[in-house]
Amino acid sequence: MDNQGRLVRVVSDDGLFRAMAVDSSSVVAEVCRRQQTDLTATVALGRLLTAGALLGCLLKGTQRLALMVEGNGPLGRLAVETDATGRLRGSVRNPRADLPPRDGRFDVSGAIGRAGFLHVTKDLGLKEPYRSMVQLQTSEIGDDLAYYLSTSEQVPSSVAVGVELAKDGSVAAAGGFIVQALPPGNVDAIAQLEVRLGELPPTTTMLRDGLSPAEIMSAIFAPRRFAVQAETSVEFFCPCTRMQIERVLIGLGRQELQSQLEEQEEIQVTCEYCKEVYPFTKSELEALIRSL
Ligand code: ZN
């Protein structure tokens, strides 16, 4: 498996549709390895990572995007962050929900919980980040993202995000696409495309059959022609630094740090995304406290 996944963004020549497709297999595998997810959590977090990759390709420069799903199920909070260069990280609060399959499928909606919210935060370099949230519709992630795009962003969208696991539980394929109707919107063309989307095999099947994201676009749009606007890569990357972790510790305040010091010789702080461990010795902590 490649270290990098591929992503393509296109616009149809008739100007009716914009779309993106991604092979996120390698990112999903890497994030889930770090998060030590069980099977259901791998599928759930993998779908959210795929969604993040697809939306992230619309960012520019130093803009950032965060997706967060918070439901009342055993997984707790799932979070994904990405930037304009296709770098992604993700986390899940309880990676081992150990939920049994339902009707032969991984019970993603049960693991996330049927009640909850999808939060979208975009740091577009403005004074305040853009924040929006919608109620979870099915808790399968694809439907919830489509609902967010169609209501909050008012862009009618079809979303497919999928993760397929091998018999040994590893990620066999992960990927998906978003197709958006551009204004003013052609009702007949949208209905026609929806029929086509319903006939397509799952994205993960097309990826395992060797189709590239650009070839998946052809499968969706043919005979309609389209222009490729961007072809980029997606990969795992966590921008955490020791300095950030120090700031978190400082944020705990003098009293809390001092009581931690009395209890232990060294404290270890783990990044919730990449799981890198940052150790702080007694003297380093004392220096932090002095700096307060
Ligand atoms: Zn990290």
Side-chain angles (χ1 to χ4, degrees):
M1 199 185 285
D2 271 352
N3 244 338
Q4 292 190 328
R6 278 184 298 165
L7 184 145
V8 66
R9 194 178 84 218
V10 310
V11 169
S12 64
D13 283 359
D14 54 19
L16 293 177
F17 299 102
R18 168 171 79 187
M20 35 270 193
V22 68
D23 175 355
S24 53
S25 310
S26 56
V27 184
V28 170
E30 178 63 19
V31 169
C32 290
R33 183 184 70 77
R34 287 171 183 268
Q35 295 287 315
Q36 301 197 343
T37 46
D38 68 15
L39 302 181
T40 311
T42 300
V43 175
L45 185 57
R47 288 185 192 170
L48 193 64
L49 282 159
T50 304
L54 290 166
L55 285 188
C57 80
L58 297 171
L59 300 172
K60 297 182 189 80
T62 57
Q63 295 177 344
R64 295 186 60 80
L65 167 89
L67 298 177
M68 195 175 85
V69 168
E70 204 151 30
N72 61 347
L75 290 182
R77 196 185 75 174
L78 292 92
V80 164
E81 292 184 15
T82 187
D83 63 16
T85 63
R87 301 192 296 190
L88 286 144
R89 65 177 184 172
S91 73
V92 49
R93 176 120 348 128
N94 302 310
R96 310 199 76 83
D98 284 328
L99 231 60
R102 210 175 52 187
D103 307 328
R105 295 179 70 236
F106 294 110
D107 188 6
V108 170
S109 61
I112 288 174
R114 292 306 296 266
F117 292 92
L118 164 67
H119 299 261
V120 180
T121 308
K122 291 186 199 175
D123 183 350
L124 301 175
L126 305 171
K127 212 166 169 194
E128 291 287 327
Y130 161 91
R131 290 177 206 279
S132 182
M133 65 172 189
V134 292
Q135 237 163 2
L136 294 174
Q137 300 298 301
T138 64
S139 303
E140 297 282 350
I141 295 189
D143 299 334
D144 305 301
L145 189 69
Y147 180 74
Y148 160 77
L149 291 169
S150 303
T151 56
S152 283
E153 299 201 358
Q154 296 180 347
V155 185
S157 305
S158 285
V159 178
V161 287
V163 178
E164 194 180 316
L165 302 185
K167 282 215 169 62
D168 65 359
S170 63
V171 175
F177 60 79
I178 297 178
V179 179
Q180 301 189 305
L182 295 173
N186 178 322
V187 179
D188 291 340
I190 293 173
Q192 212 177 38
L193 196 72
E194 267 168 7
V195 172
R196 165 65 66 90
L197 293 179
E199 294 165 352
L200 282 180
T203 317
T204 49
T205 305
M206 293 191 274
L207 289 171
R208 277 197 302 100
D209 285 345
L211 266 63
S212 69
E215 287 165 336
I216 290 173
M217 292 276 100
S218 298
I220 290 171
F221 281 120
R224 186 177 266 110
R225 297 169 67 87
F226 58 83
V228 173
Q229 291 197 306
E231 213 164 358
T232 54
S233 58
V234 291
E235 61 182 333
F236 166 79
F237 177 74
C238 185
C240 70
T241 60
R242 191 175 172 87
M243 218 173 8
Q244 279 177 340
I245 304 282
E246 277 178 12
R247 278 204 291 270
V248 172
L249 285 174
I250 288 169
L252 294 176
R254 179 188 295 267
Q255 222 172 4
E256 172 64 24
L257 285 179
Q258 229 135 24
S259 77
Q260 294 251 9
L261 255 184
E262 279 158 27
E263 284 164 28
Q264 47 210 330
E265 284 295 297
E266 182 188 271
I267 67 162
Q268 297 194 328
V269 184
T270 306
C271 172
E272 75 167 286
Y273 287 96
C274 64
K275 299 294 177 186
E276 167 106 6
V277 177
Y278 293 89
F280 288 84
T281 63
K282 199 179 179 86
S283 60
E284 284 169 335
L285 275 180
E286 282 165 349
L288 267 186
I289 292 171
R290 276 197 302 276
S291 77
L292 287 173

